Amino acid sequence: MYTLTDLIAPLGLARWQQADCWPGAVIDGIAHYPSTPSRQLQSPIDAQDHGKLLPASAVEVRAAVGCAMVAFETWREVPAPRRGELVRRIGEAVRNHKTLLAQLITLETGKIGSEAEGEVQEWIDVCDYAAGLSRQLHGLTIASERPQHRLLEQWHPLGVVGVISAFNFPVAVWAWNAMLALVCGDAVVWKPSEKTPLSALAATALVLDALRDFDGAPSGLIQLVQGDASVGEYLAGDRHVSLISATGSVAMGRAVAQHAAARLGRSLLELGGNNAAIVTPSADLELATRAIVFSAAGTCGQRCTSLRRLFVHEDIADALQEKLITAYQHLSIGDPRLPATLVGPLIDEAAMKRMHAALTRAEIEGGRILIGGGQVRAGGNIPDGGCYVRPALLAMPEQTDVVHEETFAPLLYLMRYARLSDAIALNNAVSQGLSSAIFTTDLREAGAFIGPAGSDCGLANVNVGTSGAEIGGAFGGEKDTGGGRESGSDAWKHYMRRATNTLNDGHALPLAQGVRFG
Ligand code: NAD
């Protein structure tokens, strides 16, 4: 079984390890070891010691932003397809390190191998997408109301993009932002989760190596500052950061949005979800069961898109409930490094306490645990020192207070409905609006769900679970989820500034709206 020691040299981390300490900042390619109190790192799998992080202070954050500004001034002049070539080469480097990087992600998050590899694949896919996009950063030409005038729209590089990311996708979320930002001509300062600093260092090492070998790319394009919320706040509050893209809890998003708004800065928010699926009488129950179990129990319920609420038509509720209980009985829980494991540990003890508190509240609010919920003790495939739990399925009499909250753990609340319109209303009744799904073979039901009066979420799927989005679509959600969109479609526009140009190639000076002056 691999450990961190096996990955340090092949992932290029050895250059930064000083005794058992890791740098809290990498600025212009140079590691900084601030003298702030250190943070002890350990794997959620088995509490294995990963050394200490020396978090950045406000000084390092300011320095990183300053260096990124300098890099931006050069980079914005480099033609976009050439910028795309850099990102293509980064993608090659990531391809060559896919397994190793995935193993590091597993060690830091507790994700199973296949999901960790999927996360690295997202980075690779985004590189391919961004490289193509670098030849497609197009504006419009618009009809002018004046003779011999033209209206043009151009998209220019924006500036320094700050990225704050969550623990559960320690690399992919940053890559969605950073790879697009790079082809758009921006420089990036990254503040990863304090729970996954080594994945961030490894990702930064790969990019810095690609930058070093690339003619015309300043080393300051990618900066890293590490630490807890305060580091994120310094970054969000820095007026030289043109866009702050923040992924995490709703509480974090509210704080970041206020820092950015106070300086009239732009923010792109990707916050918590409380995702639901509706299963109608016509659904293919085998397909629905598989999708539901992956969405609810996969990643140990620690995806923003994890399925948390299930509305099942009363005519099929007993049948589906039975299938789900059987599937939950067969979930293999354990060390995520073992190929047969489907559910690894929760990230930490605080997460486990929150799960147990939610279960207790759910029971007080009339819920009944159908299966799961308990802690799995060490032994066999369960290493000592991790927080392993059995994914829980609960029958709820209605959508009570606890169901309205996102508990970042494998908890699925099952509720029954009689009319589709009621189920859609319940889907929309929570404050979050990220992902949703309907399982049906009835075209009218599917249409109602994805139509304008249907699901109010940013993602609304038919016969596909709530989690596991592809990079080609715009990813994000409404309401408390923050309204941001990342990755595919036209999300690239967030990372650029739009200039409208009016061009007069005639000799006269007609004014718009027929105004006469002099
Ligand atoms: P978190 O909010 O605790 O932390 C996320 C990041 O924000 C970390 O880097 C953290 O240090 C930083 N942070 C926290 N408070 C901050 C503040 N006041 N100012 C600036 N930065 C701050 O979230 P987490 O526990 O790491 O991740 C789980 C949460 O993230 C869940 O709510 C999940 O739904 C959400 N999430 C959303 C998406 C999405 O795309 N919508 C993706 C992944 C995770």
Side-chain angles (χ1 to χ4, degrees):
M1 205 92 85
Y2 58 87
T3 66
L4 180 62
T5 314
D6 304 313
L7 305 176
I8 287 176
L11 281 173
L13 290 172
R15 70 188 98 170
W16 289 326
Q17 192 179 29
Q18 284 196 355
D20 68 338
C21 290
W22 297 102
V26 180
I27 303 172
D28 266 0
I30 297 165
H32 292 248
Y33 302 84
S35 57
T36 44
S38 62
R39 182 185 164 86
Q40 188 64 49
L41 307 174
Q42 56 183 36
S43 173
I45 298 176
D46 52 5
Q48 179 115 117
D49 186 357
H50 281 179
K52 293 188 184 76
L53 181 76
L54 302 176
S57 67
V59 174
E60 283 78 31
V61 176
R62 255 198 316 275
V65 173
C67 291
M69 282 169 67
V70 173
F72 167 69
E73 283 173 16
T74 310
W75 191 236
R76 65 182 169 185
E77 303 268 25
V78 173
R82 177 80 184 140
R83 302 194 297 247
E85 172 59 14
L86 170 68
V87 171
R88 194 190 64 74
R89 290 195 201 177
I90 293 172
E92 283 303 306
V94 183
R95 269 190 180 85
N96 295 335
H97 293 81
K98 181 174 171 181
T99 307
L100 292 166
L101 189 54
Q103 288 177 344
L104 182 56
I105 291 171
T106 293
L107 288 183
E108 276 204 309
T109 63
K111 256 181 214 200
I112 61 170
S114 136
E115 290 194 58
E117 291 212 3
E119 167 156 9
V120 182
Q121 186 60 44
E122 268 190 61
W123 183 2
I124 296 166
D125 293 344
V126 162
C127 287
D128 289 350
Y129 170 71
L133 190 65
S134 69
R135 291 180 183 270
Q136 299 275 318
L137 301 171
H138 57 269
L140 298 172
T141 57
I142 300 157
S144 168
E145 67 190 47
R146 288 172 277 183
Q148 291 189 284
H149 279 57
R150 284 154 231 289
L151 274 178
L152 313 174
E153 192 174 81
Q154 291 194 80
W155 291 89
H156 294 304
L158 180 66
V160 175
V161 174
V163 179
I164 297 173
S165 58
F167 81 84
N168 64 330
F169 276 91
V171 166
V173 162
W174 163 78
W176 288 358
N177 284 278
M179 300 305 108
L180 259 61
L182 284 179
V183 297
C184 290
D186 302 326
V188 179
V189 182
W190 182 15
K191 204 306 272 178
S193 167
E194 58 274 34
K195 296 173 187 170
T196 55
L198 302 182
S199 301
L201 280 168
T204 301
L206 284 177
V207 174
L208 285 176
D209 289 347
L211 273 177
R212 199 191 44 227
D213 300 336
F214 192 84
D215 202 24
S219 62
L221 278 180
I222 291 287
Q223 312 278 348
L224 179 67
V225 287
Q226 305 241 42
D228 62 13
S230 60
V231 180
E233 292 193 3
Y234 300 141
L235 190 60
D238 192 315
R239 67 188 177 84
H240 300 297
V241 173
S242 301
L243 169 71
I244 184 86
S245 172
T247 299
S249 58
V250 173
M252 177 279 289
R254 279 192 213 289
V256 165
Q258 286 173 36
H259 281 291
R263 59 181 177 86
L264 297 181
R266 289 193 202 174
S267 57
L268 193 174
L269 302 174
E270 297 281 354
L271 310 176
N274 189 1
N275 315 297
I278 297 171
V279 188
T280 78
S282 72
D284 174 339
L285 289 193
E286 292 304 324
L287 182 149
T289 302
R290 293 189 58 176
I292 289 165
V293 176
F294 171 64
S295 294
T299 334
C300 200
Q302 299 171 110
R303 285 194 189 212
C304 52
T305 51
S306 288
L307 180 63
R308 314 208 180 274
R309 302 177 292 139
L310 187 60
F311 302 108
V312 189
H313 191 273
E314 56 195 12
D315 289 353
I316 51 156
D318 288 340
L320 182 66
Q321 187 172 303
E322 203 174 301
K323 282 182 187 298
L324 288 172
I325 290 173
T326 307
Y328 269 57
Q329 279 164 347
H330 289 96
L331 283 172
S332 50
I333 302 159
D335 190 322
R337 291 169 294 184
L338 295 170
T341 299
L342 292 176
V343 182
L346 284 169
I347 188 70
D348 54 24
E349 211 169 310
M352 191 165 67
K353 283 190 178 144
R354 283 194 289 270
M355 174 170 169
H356 289 148
L359 280 166
T360 306
R361 270 182 69 195
E363 286 186 299
I364 292 169
E365 291 173 14
R368 190 165 51 89
I369 298 175
L370 300 171
I371 185 168
Q375 184 177 1
V376 192
R377 302 279 164 205
N381 291 341
I382 312 288
D384 204 8
C387 295
Y388 293 84
V389 293
R390 287 193 196 289
L393 180 65
L394 295 97
M396 297 300 292
E398 58 185 327
Q399 186 152 264
T400 63
D401 289 349
V402 73
V403 183
H404 278 254
E405 291 175 18
E406 179 198 47
T407 302
F408 216 55
L411 281 181
L412 180 59
Y413 302 109
L414 190 152
M415 290 153 279
R416 297 176 184 226
Y417 77 89
R419 287 187 315 178
L420 182 61
S421 55
D422 294 338
I424 293 176
L426 286 164
N427 174 77
N428 297 346
V430 296
S431 61
Q432 312 87 345
L434 181 54
S435 188
S436 58
I438 190 168
F439 292 90
T440 180
T441 53
D442 181 324
L443 181 65
R444 291 187 178 129
E445 289 178 339
F449 185 73
I450 64 170
S455 167
D456 65 0
C457 295
L459 308 170
N461 300 333
V462 178
N463 294 328
V464 171
T466 54
S467 70
E470 296 180 25
I471 63 124
F475 181 92
E478 302 297 332
K479 305 189 290 187
D480 280 3
T481 302
R485 292 296 186 277
E486 284 176 355
S487 192
S489 185
D490 62 351
W492 60 270
K493 291 179 177 171
H494 285 296
Y495 308 89
M496 302 200 85
R497 65 179 173 85
R498 185 196 319 240
T500 302
N501 311 125
T502 309
L503 226 91
N504 177 3
D505 57 35
H507 296 282
L509 190 67
L511 298 179
Q513 295 89 40
V515 171
R516 292 170 189 279
F517 194 77

